Amino acid sequence: MPQDPMDFEWSYWIEWGRERILWLLAGHLLVSQVSRLLVEKYKPWCLMVYGMAACWLLLGIKGFAVILLHAAISFAVAQFQLSLLTWLCSLILLSTLRIPAVEETKRKWYDTENEYYLLLFTVSVRCLFCTSFSLEYCWHAPTQKSSYSFPWMLAYVFYYPTFHNGPLMNFDEFSKQMRRQEAFSVKTNLSILIVGIIRIFFWWCLAELMIHLMYIHALYSSALPLESASYWALGGLALAQVLFFYVKYLVLYGVPALLLRMDGLKPPALPCCVSLMHSFTKMWRTFDVGLHRFLVRYIYVPMGGSHSSLLGTLLSTALTFAFISYWHGGQSYLWYWGALNWLGVIVENGTKRILSISLIQDLI
């Protein structure tokens, strides 16, 4: 039975995975386990060299140079230790991905559109990693700077399991866990690998069944069946779409999460089932945990967060959603999506504040 071809993200990453990425991830696993067994002290540098080689192999020397240049510029700007300047640099580097002349130049580097998109997606995710490292550099005292050297930035930026699509792991978490040396057990790691592969295979089979039998995205791409459907049917389609999105990211984040565990790191929690969610706030906290930690640590809390005034909370939340909409591409529909999510979070938090008033609680 033919599959629904309308979900670009799933088709794209599955195709790349089968062709090269899964083999490169297997190579990372081999290098990681050998370095943990023989040269634990030099594991970060072994993985850094492997990640750089994999980047060069997959994206070519020009793609590799772009990512290295982004990291070098971010590191140079971080030397001023000004968070605002670091953010300005990050936004400028991100904006270069949307300059038509630059886009056309990068397209000419590759034979296919898929190769260009792989560079685009990779650089977009690397921008977040560069931002995380640079802000941590700004916030730490000069005596701690040895822990925030350029080689450590490269080890973080070129860490291959999270290289193309995430999940996001802040530098403070990555460096602490990567420096930690633990007892290595081949038997324990083998059991983690086998159980992890079985779980990911089950999720992949479920996603493939949904993409071959349900045709959710094909239905959404045509106005005629949507106009003739009842409200109940539309609600069912919406639920089916978000459930597929959830299963899809169990696979896309499950593979790198398994490799993180094999490397002795603790990955961000996998997405929580959307059927268990009843609020915008919980959705943002539990679906993409790594991205949520990034937004809270580097945008929401520095801007005041929930401990500031009502206006400060509104502003910090708005800036958080503005950034995430811009990072995803900045198209008009993304701004609407961000605004609706911001409104949902504000309404929920406002309702919680009202219900916490003792008079209201007495009335209830």
Side-chain angles (χ1 to χ4, degrees):
M1 185 176 291
Q3 73 173 37
D4 182 351
M6 301 307 294
D7 188 88
F8 169 78
E9 189 177 33
W10 177 256
S11 304
Y12 182 84
W13 289 117
I14 291 298
E15 181 181 344
W16 268 109
R18 286 170 176 163
E19 286 184 2
R20 295 187 187 179
I21 291 179
L22 278 179
W23 297 105
L24 290 172
L25 289 173
H28 169 93
L29 178 62
L30 179 62
V31 171
S32 168
Q33 299 311 294
V34 170
S35 61
R36 288 191 73 185
L37 188 63
L38 302 178
V39 284
E40 175 76 18
K41 184 179 178 181
Y42 300 103
K43 180 182 72 173
W45 317 123
C46 295
L47 298 182
M48 178 192 75
V49 171
Y50 180 84
M52 295 173 84
C55 172
W56 192 317
L57 179 66
L58 210 54
L59 299 177
I61 186 171
K62 293 179 180 178
F64 171 78
V66 167
I67 295 172
L68 189 61
L69 181 63
H70 276 231
I73 292 172
S74 297
F75 185 78
V77 172
Q79 303 307 303
F80 294 98
Q81 293 189 268
L82 297 172
S83 298
L84 185 59
L85 189 61
T86 291
W87 266 115
L88 183 61
C89 172
S90 298
L91 292 173
I92 290 173
L93 290 174
L94 197 57
S95 68
T96 60
L97 303 179
R98 298 169 179 83
I99 299 173
V102 176
E103 287 182 332
E104 284 305 310
T105 301
K106 290 177 181 177
R107 275 189 167 93
K108 292 175 183 177
W109 296 348
Y110 301 105
D111 297 327
T112 65
E113 196 79 355
N114 275 359
E115 289 175 293
Y116 163 71
Y117 279 126
L118 184 64
L119 174 66
L120 182 65
F121 297 149
T122 303
V123 175
S124 296
V125 176
R126 293 307 95 199
C127 279
L128 297 184
F129 279 69
C130 289
T131 303
S132 174
F133 176 90
S134 299
L135 288 172
E136 294 293 341
Y137 186 95
C138 292
W139 294 347
H140 285 80
T143 55
Q144 299 173 296
K145 288 298 184 266
S146 60
S147 303
Y148 297 86
S149 61
F150 189 60
W152 267 107
M153 184 182 196
L154 294 181
Y156 175 57
V157 169
F158 284 98
Y159 181 68
Y160 196 69
T162 61
F163 191 67
H164 298 294
N165 194 42
L168 187 58
M169 190 175 188
N170 294 340
F171 179 73
D172 61 319
E173 300 171 353
F174 175 85
S175 61
K176 287 175 186 174
Q177 294 178 34
M178 188 62 81
R179 292 171 195 277
R180 186 178 61 220
Q181 296 186 13
E182 296 178 335
F184 178 73
S185 170
V186 175
K187 185 178 178 180
T188 301
N189 263 23
L190 187 61
S191 64
I192 291 172
L193 180 64
I194 292 171
V195 172
I197 288 174
I198 292 170
R199 292 176 68 189
I200 293 166
F201 181 72
F202 171 76
W203 297 329
W204 175 77
C205 289
L206 182 57
E208 284 292 318
L209 279 173
M210 295 174 79
I211 209 85
H212 278 84
L213 300 177
M214 298 180 72
Y215 295 91
I216 312 157
H217 303 89
L219 287 170
Y220 270 112
S221 64
S222 176
L224 187 61
L226 296 179
E227 290 172 353
S228 60
S230 67
Y231 290 130
W232 281 104
L234 290 174
L237 281 172
L239 178 60
Q241 187 179 43
V242 295
L243 284 172
F244 175 76
F245 191 75
Y246 159 65
V247 175
K248 174 171 67 177
Y249 268 88
L250 285 179
V251 177
L252 297 183
Y253 279 178
V255 173
L258 174 59
L259 291 176
L260 281 161
R261 292 184 65 198
M262 295 293 291
D263 290 346
L265 309 180
K266 183 180 179 182
L270 291 177
C272 182
C273 180
V274 291
S275 296
L276 301 177
M277 298 181 193
H278 61 274
S279 73
F280 284 94
T281 307
K282 186 177 180 182
M283 172 70 183
W284 279 98
R285 284 178 179 170
T286 59
F287 193 85
D288 193 334
V289 175
L291 181 60
H292 174 260
R293 289 174 181 170
F294 176 92
L295 296 172
V296 169
R297 182 169 177 82
Y298 301 121
I299 303 177
Y300 185 69
V301 170
M303 290 304 299
S306 57
H307 296 294
S308 62
S309 63
L310 177 60
L311 185 61
T313 302
L314 291 172
L315 177 63
S316 55
T317 309
L319 285 174
T320 302
F321 282 109
F323 173 77
I324 203 60
S325 299
Y326 183 70
W327 178 72
H328 272 92
Q331 291 87 352
S332 57
Y333 72 89
L334 288 169
W335 292 112
Y336 295 137
W337 166 75
L340 288 171
N341 275 274
W342 173 78
L343 185 62
V345 169
I346 291 302
V347 169
E348 284 179 1
N349 289 335
T351 303
K352 285 180 182 177
R353 288 193 179 191
I354 292 171
L355 293 177
S356 66
I357 299 172
S358 56
L359 178 62
I360 300 297
Q361 288 182 344
D362 292 341
L363 289 173
I364 293 173

